[in-house]
Amino acid sequence: MRGPATVLRGVVLGIGALAFLFPFYYMFIGSLQAEPDSTPAGAFPNPGNLTLANYAAIDSRISLVSGLINSGIFTGGVLLCTVLFGVLAGYALAILEWRGRSFTFGLALLVQVVPFQLLLVPLYVLIARNYGLGDNYLGMIIPFAINSAAVLIFRQYFLQLPRELFEAARIDGAGELKILGSVALPLVRPALATAVLLTFIGPWNEFLWPFLITKRADMQPLAVSLANYITNVAGSAANPFGAIMAGAVVLAVPVIVIFLIFQRYFVSTDLGSGVKG
Amino acid sequence: VTSVVSGSRSDHRDPPPVVTPQRRRPLVERLLGKHPLGWLFGAPYLIFVFAIFAYPLIFAGYMSFHDYFFAAPGARVNRPFIGLENYADALTDPKVQQSFVNVGVFLIINVPLTVVLALVLATLLNQVVHLRTFLRFSFYVPYVTASVAIVGVWLFLFSGNGLVNQILGPLAPDPTWLINPQWAMPSIAFFVTWKGLGFYILLYLAALQNVPKELYESAATDGAGRISQFWHVTVPGVRPATVLVLLLATVTGANLFTEPYLLTGGGGPNGASTSPVFVMYQQGIQQGKPGYAAAIGIILVILVLIIALLQNRFVGDRDR
């Protein structure tokens, strides 16, 4: 089996993996360098040039803790709404028979190809200007509140449960909410994990919307305050690259950790069903 | 689908089967379906879609035909109807034109590169046995990380005396990548391709599971080599996924904002990397002309729809 094709495949995948991972490694090394070293030798850790000063530098300009808290509230709000209302909608789409079902399912598919750029200006006018929700967590959360892809993932998992289960529970006199909570939900835990992971990366990484809607520095999620640092302040710092990369490590680590924990749920078939319906 | 069937059944003229003792189903059930609770469960999501997608879309259309400007909430102001003036202004504005050319360059590089690399890497990844989890992790990790976080290290890598130029030596472009008018937009396109590739690899991996193994076996018995199998079995087998990847890559590319805003300091050098969404941000929010920005958005979406239809026409199902 070890023909030249296998070797070639290994080489291509190896180069690919290197190209994908190296910038992350380099970001981490760069965040620890006292003096930015962009020579090839700088790609290897040099004990004489390692420091945590960049983390202190970025923290003195943008508060990392308050940025992380804001990102956490933004992401947590979206996750809460998506899990709560998304599970209800997914259950209604998969298990209940009602007149608006196919229409709602069609909407959930359609919504995923509506480009955000078309919504950008009207949402800004409505949320920031008309409703006065600028610099407000609610204003940040609302446009992302229910992730349609998560709704479709929940629907897909509920569809795979045997029908007899629901019939039996109904004959026993259980209400739909009770069936959902104590029969259906415990059986679709992988769907919850997939949806949580997929939904988490949206608001945590989102830049444009919270950037538009937050002007006060103490309300900005970390992605926004770090971006503002990159565009405004970096020029005046002693080691701007080091400080930027230190902030970037702080922003990236929570997602990468969550991704590592949930990776076994990040399976192609589940997400495929979410995106394709 | 079943809800439509069960709903229309009550409208049938046929007499009800004699076996069932009840005459007609209750009014609520006939109007709302067998489980009216479905409406209640679906209501938050439906309200969300109408408030966040449907209404703003209509509002965008309304704004684009009016001289819309910001006013204090609740203030009664006259925002006159101006017909297609915003559209005419947008189409003749050199900055808008340049942003559309820029995003065109971006799409020409990003979309084909995304399709080819994602399909090739997914095919190879699908065959490996060892290190599968590690390889998948490394391909997905840029996708799950924020652009804002990765931009810093790319600025460092591609700066004037950054690692990339030190390795390239005399081959490095001057001025360096992101401040070079010729290279700024292609550099952004490479960045976005690299960043988003994991998601498309994932879609192709899902599609590859649906290509029947027998097709590869019969192609092999016919004497087809690996490359021939890839071309005649894999590529046609994942065509529906390719249509989806093309659509999503095009829509994502047309949405370009964060990368030029951060990598090239907001569309530099000299507007060589502005994007339509960046112009919408400048005009609509910074300069207070949301009607004008909405018109740019609608033109952009119409162009994306045309591209998507053409892609579907040429790449979609050829049997029909």
Side-chain angles (χ1 to χ4, degrees):
Chain A
M1 176 74 200
R2 227 168 233 289
T6 316
V7 174
L8 185 69
R9 187 177 73 206
V11 169
V12 171
L13 285 174
I15 292 174
L18 187 70
F20 280 80
L21 285 181
F22 178 75
F24 289 89
Y25 163 78
Y26 200 55
M27 175 165 89
F28 184 63
I29 290 290
S31 77
L32 294 172
Q33 286 176 344
E35 283 291 315
D37 183 356
S38 58
T39 62
F44 302 96
N46 169 11
N49 196 17
L50 293 185
T51 172
L52 286 173
N54 293 320
Y55 289 85
I58 185 83
D59 192 45
S60 68
R61 305 304 288 267
I62 57 169
S63 169
L64 293 177
V65 173
S66 104
L68 282 173
I69 290 172
N70 290 334
S71 288
I73 294 174
F74 176 29
T75 310
V78 171
L79 278 177
L80 191 71
C81 292
T82 295
V83 169
L84 192 65
F85 300 127
V87 163
L88 283 175
Y91 185 80
L93 285 175
I95 306 298
L96 301 176
E97 287 169 27
W98 45 296
R99 273 280 170 99
R101 184 162 79 163
S102 359
F103 170 73
T104 310
F105 178 58
L107 274 184
L109 289 180
L110 195 66
V111 154
Q112 304 200 51
V113 288
V114 173
F116 188 70
Q117 72 263 38
L118 195 55
L119 302 172
L120 177 73
V121 178
L123 278 179
Y124 175 78
V125 173
L126 289 172
I127 291 177
R129 299 273 170 172
N130 293 3
Y131 305 149
L133 290 176
D135 284 321
N136 183 305
Y137 293 121
L138 204 58
M140 265 185 249
I141 293 168
I142 284 174
F144 299 92
I146 308 177
N147 184 342
S148 294
V151 170
L152 293 176
I153 290 174
F154 290 136
R155 171 186 171 271
Q156 192 66 30
Y157 270 83
F158 286 134
L159 275 180
Q160 287 162 6
L161 299 178
R163 281 300 164 118
E164 299 77 36
L165 210 65
F166 298 95
E167 305 295 341
R170 280 176 197 143
I171 289 167
D172 287 350
E176 294 297 334
L177 212 54
K178 178 118 174 44
I179 301 177
L180 170 58
S182 47
V183 179
L185 259 190
L187 292 171
V188 296
R189 286 221 191 90
L192 279 175
T194 311
V196 164
L197 180 63
L198 191 73
T199 309
F200 184 92
I201 57 181
W204 187 271
N205 295 342
E206 176 65 24
F207 167 66
L208 178 55
W209 178 251
F211 164 72
L212 290 182
I213 203 153
T214 53
K215 292 285 164 273
R216 272 169 47 196
D218 62 328
M219 284 298 294
Q220 286 167 346
L222 189 56
V224 176
S225 51
L226 181 63
N228 283 342
Y229 179 80
I230 295 175
T231 50
N232 302 328
V233 203
S236 61
N239 179 0
F241 285 125
I244 290 172
M245 285 188 275
V249 169
V250 175
L251 178 61
V253 160
V255 192
I256 295 179
V257 167
I258 286 192
F259 180 58
L260 275 173
I261 296 170
F262 285 86
Q263 198 196 2
R264 64 198 182 95
Y265 296 111
F266 206 60
V267 221
S268 26
T269 40
D270 307 342
L271 288 175
S273 73
V275 176
K276 284 176 292 185
Chain B
V1 180
T2 33
S3 70
V4 176
V5 175
S6 66
S8 62
R9 200 175 289 154
S10 59
D11 301 334
H12 259 272
R13 294 295 169 88
D14 302 350
V18 204
V19 244
T20 47
Q22 81 257 39
R23 279 159 298 161
R24 304 181 71 182
R25 296 194 291 158
L27 181 69
V28 179
E29 204 170 287
R30 268 182 294 135
L31 278 178
L32 301 177
K34 192 176 161 198
H35 298 124
L37 204 59
W39 282 104
L40 194 66
F41 280 21
Y45 180 66
L46 279 170
I47 293 169
F48 170 76
V49 169
F50 280 104
I52 298 301
F53 291 91
Y55 179 63
L57 280 177
I58 296 166
F59 187 42
Y62 170 86
M63 275 196 298
S64 72
F65 292 110
H66 289 79
D67 183 10
Y68 200 95
F69 53 87
F70 296 132
R76 294 215 151 268
V77 285
N78 181 29
R79 294 169 171 134
F81 177 80
I82 53 166
L84 290 169
E85 200 177 300
N86 281 327
Y87 290 88
D89 288 350
L91 288 171
T92 50
D93 184 340
K95 278 187 182 155
V96 177
Q97 290 170 352
Q98 186 176 18
S99 74
F100 278 103
V101 171
N102 289 342
V103 90
V105 171
F106 174 91
L107 291 175
I108 286 172
I109 298 171
N110 168 266
V111 175
L113 205 59
T114 297
V115 170
V116 172
L117 287 179
L119 180 54
V120 169
L121 288 173
T123 309
L124 296 178
L125 208 53
N126 199 35
Q127 295 164 354
V128 291
V129 189
H130 303 291
L131 292 173
R132 207 180 167 127
T133 313
F134 167 76
L135 287 169
R136 282 189 175 198
F137 170 77
S138 49
F139 290 131
Y140 297 160
V141 78
Y143 169 69
V144 299
T145 313
S147 256
V148 176
I150 309 174
V151 153
V153 71
W154 275 68
L155 286 169
F156 189 41
L157 277 168
F158 286 87
S159 62
N161 54 0
L163 185 65
V164 172
N165 284 359
Q166 299 231 4
I167 289 169
L168 286 177
L171 292 170
D174 182 42
T176 191
W177 305 93
L178 292 163
I179 50 171
N180 183 317
Q182 264 85 49
W183 278 105
M185 209 62 204
S187 302
I188 293 173
F190 291 130
F191 173 83
V192 174
T193 309
W194 173 84
K195 164 102 176 61
L197 206 59
F199 178 67
Y200 301 109
I201 290 177
L202 188 74
L203 289 184
Y204 271 128
L205 274 174
L208 285 170
Q209 313 310 315
N210 297 330
V211 182
K213 295 268 185 300
E214 299 79 44
L215 288 180
Y216 289 103
E217 283 158 16
S218 62
T221 29
D222 290 350
R226 275 167 189 269
I227 295 184
S228 170
Q229 284 179 29
F230 175 77
W231 202 245
H232 293 107
V233 180
T234 308
V235 173
V238 298
R239 186 166 290 151
T242 304
V243 173
L244 183 72
V245 170
L246 283 170
L247 175 70
L248 291 177
T250 308
V251 171
T252 313
N255 259 316
L256 190 68
F257 174 83
T258 309
E259 290 78 11
Y261 180 78
L262 293 173
L263 280 174
T264 58
N270 213 357
S273 64
T274 53
S275 72
V277 178
F278 184 76
V279 177
M280 284 167 65
Y281 161 70
Q282 279 184 320
Q283 297 289 331
I285 289 159
Q286 285 190 317
Q287 304 194 16
K289 293 191 278 184
Y292 186 57
I296 299 174
I298 288 173
I299 295 170
L300 182 61
V301 168
I302 291 171
L303 287 176
V304 169
L305 278 179
I306 293 173
I307 296 173
L309 285 175
L310 288 175
Q311 286 169 348
N312 210 11
R313 175 96 174 67
F314 288 107
V315 185
D317 204 345
R318 283 183 196 162
D319 303 331
R320 270 182 280 169

